[in-house]
């Protein structure tokens, strides 16, 4: 995964990361959640740790760049793409998205079901743009897809999620 | 419902793992494993590059007999004003520290001290630059030599935090009146210094004139001076009227290396070359074809003397050109009986297939 250039273009909300541990504490939890939304299932934590480890292994170089956090997220989502390519579709559908019992509200359940019906690329765009607030151009750069593709995916994801919640479409 | 509200609902719908110390420990462990793997891969890449070079395959195609130690790619240039390290690119001198190994290796009459470099960078890099070594005896400069680690020797790769020999300070017949100080500069920002005890003189002091800064011996490269011990097997084999003596050599190196340039002659016991024998002295025509695996006795060539005939005892002598690679070997022979044939021929003959 070579994502220095991509990371530089992604303005993830982070001020000044001085040391790797600061980056970890600020972003690890958000990253695992974003990966779970994107369909990582049980592998979310493993992928997040692998992305963090890769960042740490190159930390001297990465910290001198403009956006260490962007590097982590980009690495994680590209690892997720590879994970999806190597995982059979049947295995993907078995990974439930819903959290523990404390999170089992009706909205959560229908959103999780809506996510489970989305294709992986659409879920990844939803995670990056809706959950993390990235622009479609930034998401496209991270996922190595065309910006127009990212816009279409985001539109479909919004529509699916709103339909699941019973909210009117745009 | 805008994206912000939708995002909040999405975030609430899936679990987020806490940033625990245990997870951070696992991340640090994984990162360390990645660094180690990168170092191993870098080393393996170096070996592959050298093996390819040793097999005589040039980068642009076509066979090449002579081995060029350290055939690698030109290191990537680093633009000024940036500190980005290109993987396997040139080392930054500020990241490199250099030292001289106090352990002295002696092969033949040559003593060697290894010059070791280590980088603190995150990625493997190549030490490129000129190393200059100076020896001084009680404050008096004895000699100064330099050696350039250029793109040719860029097969030397420093893995992060891994001490690596980049060159050797070789002093033939070392001799000094007192302790000797070595100063080595280049590649690293700070010089390396080592004080060694007085070098006892087995022969006349040479004032450091025989000091050489050798490139690090790379697998497949030329065997360094004095590293090969040659022997002539006294058990000759006679086929027809021709007698053959086998020359073997043993490398005292740590890596496989190659030699060329063997000379052989027949001399009288007092060292006079018997030029009256056709073919004497003989010269080996091999070009870096003799491969020596460390510590293993290897076949070098045969000395072949057809219809050997002499008026008294003779000596078979073999040695490398100018003493390169190793000191010579001698074999004393009694008077060779002549059987009426006085047109014998002496030569160095290889075998069809060398190891």
């Amino acid at each position: 995964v070579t994502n220095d250039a991509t990371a530089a273009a992604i303005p993830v909300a982070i001020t000044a990361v001085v040391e790797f541990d600061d980056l970890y504490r600020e972003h690890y939890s958000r990253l695992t959640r974003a990966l779970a939304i994107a369909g990582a299932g049980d592998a979310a934590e493993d992928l997040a740790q692998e992305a963090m480890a890769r960042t740490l292994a190159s930390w001297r170089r990465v910290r001198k760049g403009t956006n260490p956090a962007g590097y982590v997220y980009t690495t994680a989502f590209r690892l997720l793409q590879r994970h999806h390519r190597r995982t059979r579709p049947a295995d993907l559908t078995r990974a439930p998205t819903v959290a523990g019992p404390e999170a089992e509200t009706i909205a959560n359940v229908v959103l999780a079901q809506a996510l489970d019906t989305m294709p992986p690329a659409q879920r990844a765009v939803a995670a990056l743009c809706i959950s993390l607030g990235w622009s479609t151009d930034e998401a496209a750069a991270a996922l190595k897809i065309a910006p127009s593709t990212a816009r279409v995916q985001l539109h479909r994801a919004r529509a699916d999620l709103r339909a699941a919640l019973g909210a009117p479409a745009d | 419902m805008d994206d912000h509200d939708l995002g909040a609902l999405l975030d609430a719908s899936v679990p987020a793992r806490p940033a625990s110390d245990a997870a951070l420990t696992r991340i640090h462990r994984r990162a360390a494993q990645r660094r180690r793997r990168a170092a191993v891969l870098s080393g393996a890449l170096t070996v592959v590059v050298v093996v390819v070079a040793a097999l005589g395959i040039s980068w642009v195609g076509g066979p090449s007999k002579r081995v060029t130690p350290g055939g690698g790619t030109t290191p990537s240039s680093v633009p000024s004003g940036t500190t980005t390290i290109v993987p396997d690119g040139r080392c930054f001198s500020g990241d490199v520290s250099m030292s001289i190994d106090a352990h002295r290796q002696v092969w033949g009459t040559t003593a060697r001290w290894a010059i070791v470099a280590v980088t603190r960078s995150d990625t493997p890099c190549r030490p490129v630059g000129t190393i200059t070594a100076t020896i001084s005896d009680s404050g008096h400069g004895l000699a100064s030599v330099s050696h350039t680690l250029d793109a040719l020797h860029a097969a030397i790769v420093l893995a992060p935090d891994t001490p690596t020999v980049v060159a050797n300070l070789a002093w033939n017949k070392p001799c000094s009146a007192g302790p000797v100080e070595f100063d080595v500069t280049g590649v690293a920002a700070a010089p390396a210094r080592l004080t060694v005890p007085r070098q006892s003189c087995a022969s006349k002091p040479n004032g450091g004139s025989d000091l050489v800064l050798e490139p690090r011996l790379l697998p497949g490269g030329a065997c360094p001076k004095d590293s090969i011990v040659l022997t002539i097997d006294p058990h000759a084999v006679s086929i027809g009227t021709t007698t053959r003596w086998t020359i073997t050599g043993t490398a005292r190196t740590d890596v496989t290396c190659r030699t060329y340039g063997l000379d052989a002659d027949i001399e009288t016991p007092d060292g006079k070359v018997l030029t009256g024998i056709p073919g004497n002295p003989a010269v080996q025509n091999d070009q870096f074809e003799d491969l020596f695996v460390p510590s293993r006795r290897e076949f070098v060539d045969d000395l072949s003397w057809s219809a050997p005939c002499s008026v008294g005892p003779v000596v078979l002598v073999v040695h490398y050109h100018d003493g390169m690679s190793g000191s010579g070997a001698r074999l004393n022979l009694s008077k060779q009986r002549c059987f009426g044939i006085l047109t014998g021929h002496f030569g160095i003959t290889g075998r069809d297939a060398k190891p």
Side-chain angles (χ1 to χ4, degrees):
Chain A
V1 179
T2 55
N3 45 23
D4 274 342
T6 307
I10 296 169
V12 170
I14 177 171
T15 50
V17 175
V18 180
E19 292 302 335
F20 174 79
D21 289 6
D22 297 336
L23 173 84
Y24 165 76
R25 294 194 194 289
E26 188 171 346
H27 288 277
Y28 181 76
S29 190
R30 291 177 64 191
L31 179 59
T32 55
R33 180 187 287 127
L35 288 169
I37 291 170
D42 293 338
E45 192 159 20
D46 185 55
L47 291 171
Q49 288 179 12
E50 180 63 20
M52 287 276 179
R54 290 184 182 206
T55 305
L56 177 58
S58 305
W59 182 240
R60 181 178 289 216
R61 177 168 54 83
V62 172
R63 76 192 294 261
K64 288 172 185 165
T66 56
N67 194 346
Y71 186 96
V72 175
Y73 282 93
T74 305
T75 303
F77 273 78
R78 290 188 182 170
L79 286 171
L80 175 64
Q81 286 177 315
R82 198 162 67 181
H83 173 74
H84 280 158
R85 280 197 296 271
R86 291 178 177 178
T87 311
R88 290 176 302 161
D91 293 335
L92 283 175
T93 56
R94 282 191 215 121
T97 308
V98 176
E102 73 283 356
E104 277 191 9
T105 65
I106 292 174
N108 290 347
V109 171
V110 295
L111 277 176
Q113 287 172 346
L115 285 171
D116 285 344
T117 59
M118 289 183 193
Q122 192 173 318
R123 290 187 69 159
V125 171
L128 291 173
C129 296
I130 299 176
S131 174
L132 294 176
W134 291 18
S135 71
T136 48
D137 286 350
E138 293 157 4
L143 299 173
K144 290 200 282 189
I145 58 175
S148 57
T149 307
R151 281 193 290 275
V152 170
Q153 300 282 21
L154 176 60
H155 177 76
R156 288 177 181 165
R158 271 195 202 117
D160 288 350
L161 293 172
R162 282 174 179 153
L165 291 168
D170 285 340
Chain B
M1 182 180 288
D2 61 12
D3 276 0
H4 184 265
D5 298 333
L6 206 51
L9 285 172
L10 261 185
D11 288 350
S13 71
V14 294
R17 305 290 180 183
S20 65
D21 287 343
L24 184 59
T25 304
R26 279 196 293 276
I27 289 167
H28 276 277
R29 200 177 298 137
R30 281 189 181 192
Q33 284 173 347
R34 289 193 68 80
R35 286 199 198 101
R36 278 196 296 275
R37 253 195 329 258
V40 170
L41 282 172
S42 168
L45 179 64
T46 304
V47 170
V48 168
V49 166
V50 172
V51 167
V52 167
L55 290 172
I57 302 167
S58 73
W59 296 111
V60 293
S64 169
K65 260 191 164 182
R66 182 164 177 144
V67 173
T68 305
T73 53
T74 305
S76 309
S77 62
V78 178
S80 60
T82 174
T83 48
T84 300
I85 297 174
V86 179
D88 283 0
R90 174 195 294 251
C91 296
F92 289 100
S93 59
D95 285 344
V96 178
S97 56
M98 205 161 52
S99 60
I100 306 168
D101 191 346
H103 175 68
R104 187 181 76 155
Q105 278 193 318
V106 180
W107 299 339
T109 59
T110 305
R112 282 180 177 78
W113 291 265
I115 298 169
V116 179
V118 60
T119 179
R120 292 182 293 274
S121 74
D122 288 336
T123 52
C125 61
R126 301 176 190 278
V128 178
T130 300
I131 296 178
T132 302
T134 306
I135 58 172
S136 46
D137 184 353
S138 306
H140 301 99
L142 289 177
S144 179
V145 288
S146 64
H147 170 68
T148 299
L149 293 172
D150 53 19
L152 191 67
H153 298 97
I156 296 175
V157 175
L158 302 184
D161 301 321
T162 306
T164 305
V165 176
V166 294
N168 285 295
L169 193 58
W171 192 359
N172 188 30
K173 299 175 183 172
C175 180
S176 67
V180 178
E181 290 171 352
F182 294 145
D183 278 281
V184 177
T185 59
V187 178
R193 290 201 167 85
L194 176 70
T195 301
V196 298
R198 171 181 173 269
Q199 299 297 297
S200 58
C201 306
S203 56
K204 283 169 53 178
N206 57 26
S209 59
D210 282 350
L211 185 74
V212 175
L213 204 49
E214 293 177 338
R216 171 190 156 194
L217 175 58
L218 293 167
C223 298
K225 187 176 173 67
D226 282 341
S227 61
I228 303 294
V229 180
L230 287 174
T231 54
I232 305 172
D233 189 347
H235 301 100
V237 175
S238 293
I239 302 172
T241 60
T242 300
T243 306
R244 286 185 174 219
W245 293 265
T246 296
I247 310 166
T248 56
T250 308
R252 291 184 289 202
T253 57
D254 296 328
V255 296
T256 300
C257 60
R258 291 171 183 268
T259 63
Y260 77 107
L262 197 69
D263 291 335
D265 57 56
I266 305 171
E267 302 175 359
T268 60
D270 58 357
K272 184 183 174 188
V273 178
L274 297 171
T275 54
I277 301 172
N280 187 38
V283 178
Q284 184 195 46
N285 292 319
D286 283 1
Q287 289 291 314
F288 276 107
E289 289 167 9
D290 290 335
L291 189 68
F292 291 89
V293 176
S295 304
R296 199 167 81 185
R297 179 176 288 195
E298 304 282 3
F299 168 76
V300 176
D301 264 322
D302 283 334
L303 294 178
S304 169
W305 192 0
S306 62
C309 178
S310 68
V311 296
V314 291
V315 184
L316 295 179
V317 180
V318 292
H319 54 87
Y320 285 103
H321 293 326
D322 304 322
M324 283 182 65
S325 301
S327 51
R330 299 169 69 87
L331 178 65
N332 295 315
L333 300 177
S334 57
K335 179 188 174 198
Q336 300 297 299
R337 294 182 179 280
C338 309
F339 294 99
I341 306 170
L342 299 175
T343 56
H345 186 273
F346 179 69
I348 301 174
T349 53
R351 293 178 185 171
D352 289 343
K354 281 202 170 188

